[in-house]
């Protein structure tokens, strides 16, 4: 029971963070436009990453697809963190590093979900004809 509650806290933490940031991506908020312009990926990168994050958020809430959603989210957050470290900087537009910290928290949530579901990785990679 405790593990189930912990898992749902992890899932909801990731989803709440991503849904909150999706609002800014999909509405074209100044900060999002700045980030993806700096990365040379505005508007397609902003909208595309938002769609991928939305899909990952939905998938982690469905027990059967949690691993797939967590893997997608892990990749997306890895890209976000690397973008901060090598291109954007940790502080973006005087946010005090908030976006960077949220990306790290979300990455940790996804990593925990992957670890919890590691026994299902083999079946995820299994192809059936």
């Amino acid at each position: 029971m405790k593990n189930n509650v912990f898992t749902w806290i992890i899932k909801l933490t990731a989803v709440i963070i991503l849904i909150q940031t999706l609002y800014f991506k999909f509405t074209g908020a100044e900060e999002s436009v700045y980030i993806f312009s700096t990365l040379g990926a505005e508007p397609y990168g902003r909208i595309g990453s938002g769609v991928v994050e939305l899909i990952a958020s939905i998938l982690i809430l469905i027990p059967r697809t949690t691993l797939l959603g967590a893997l997608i989210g892990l990749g997306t957050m890895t890209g976000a963190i690397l973008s901060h470290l090598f291109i954007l900087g940790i502080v973006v537009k005087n946010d005090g590093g908030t976006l960077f910290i949220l990306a790290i928290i979300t990455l940790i949530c996804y990593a925990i979900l992957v670890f919890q579901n590691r026994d299902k990785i083999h079946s995820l990679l299994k192809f059936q004809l």
Side-chain angles (χ1 to χ4, degrees):
M1 177 69 178
K2 286 182 181 179
N3 191 32
N4 195 27
V5 171
F6 174 74
T7 299
W8 276 103
I9 290 171
I10 294 299
K11 288 180 178 187
L12 291 176
T13 299
V15 169
I16 290 168
I17 290 171
L18 287 178
I19 295 299
Q20 180 257 327
T21 60
L22 288 179
Y23 171 79
F24 295 102
K25 285 183 180 174
F26 290 149
T27 60
E30 178 188 346
E31 296 84 4
S32 288
V33 171
Y34 171 80
I35 288 168
F36 286 93
S37 293
T38 303
L39 296 174
E42 174 61 29
Y44 302 109
R46 175 175 50 84
I47 295 167
S49 68
V51 169
V52 170
E53 290 172 7
L54 178 60
I55 290 168
S57 295
I58 292 168
L59 290 174
I60 66 166
L61 293 176
I62 303 167
R64 213 175 87 189
T65 59
T66 295
L67 176 60
L68 180 59
L71 289 169
I72 292 169
L74 195 63
T76 304
M77 289 301 106
T78 299
I81 290 168
L82 291 174
S83 295
H84 276 279
L85 290 175
F86 294 110
I87 301 169
L88 299 167
I90 292 174
V91 177
V92 177
K93 294 194 73 86
N94 299 316
D95 74 342
T98 301
L99 287 176
F100 181 73
I101 292 167
L102 291 174
I104 288 177
I105 292 168
T106 308
L107 177 89
I108 291 168
C109 290
Y110 281 133
I112 290 168
L113 292 171
V114 169
F115 181 77
Q116 286 180 334
N117 291 278
R118 66 191 178 280
D119 58 322
K120 298 175 187 172
I121 291 175
H122 183 267
S123 64
L124 184 66
L125 299 175
K126 205 177 199 182
F127 293 103
Q128 293 188 4
L129 299 173

